[in-house]
């Protein structure tokens, strides 16, 4: 049903948002260190980009399935 689809979509969105927030916190903590690991930060930034793309695809799937 539409309610089930919306619930699944909302849960997935919250999960992605939580992961992005976690990566942002890790980046901030790493940048505060004296010896910042720039490669690690780049990996985390790429993970954020990937998650953002996932979020976009998830939204598109939700819209397409809703109709």
């Amino acid at each position: 049903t539409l309610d089930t689809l919306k619930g699944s979509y909302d849960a997935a969105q919250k999960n992605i948002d939580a992961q992005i927030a976690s990566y942002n916190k890790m980046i901030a903590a790493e940048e505060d260190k004296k010896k910042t690991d720039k490669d690690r930060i780049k990996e985390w930034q790429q993970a954020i980009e990937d998650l953002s793309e996932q979020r976009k695809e998830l939204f598109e799937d939700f819209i397409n399935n809703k109709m």
Side-chain angles (χ1 to χ4, degrees):
T1 68
L2 187 56
D3 289 338
T4 303
L5 181 62
K6 176 84 170 102
S8 295
Y9 169 76
D10 288 343
Q13 285 286 80
K14 285 180 184 177
N15 182 287
I16 290 171
D17 290 342
Q19 289 180 63
I20 289 173
S22 178
Y23 278 118
N24 281 324
K25 286 179 186 175
M26 293 180 343
I27 289 170
E30 187 65 33
E31 287 174 337
D32 286 343
K33 291 182 178 179
K34 286 185 179 180
K35 291 188 176 186
T36 303
D37 187 339
K38 293 182 195 262
D39 289 333
R40 179 178 266 182
I41 291 174
K42 284 181 187 176
E43 287 176 25
W44 293 336
Q45 288 171 331
Q46 182 60 51
I48 290 171
E49 287 178 30
D50 293 344
L51 287 166
S52 295
E53 183 63 28
Q54 260 185 337
R55 184 173 37 194
K56 179 182 167 192
E57 290 171 7
L58 184 67
F59 177 73
E60 290 169 358
D61 287 348
F62 173 72
I63 294 300
N64 291 334
N65 287 322
K66 192 169 112 171
M67 297 181 173

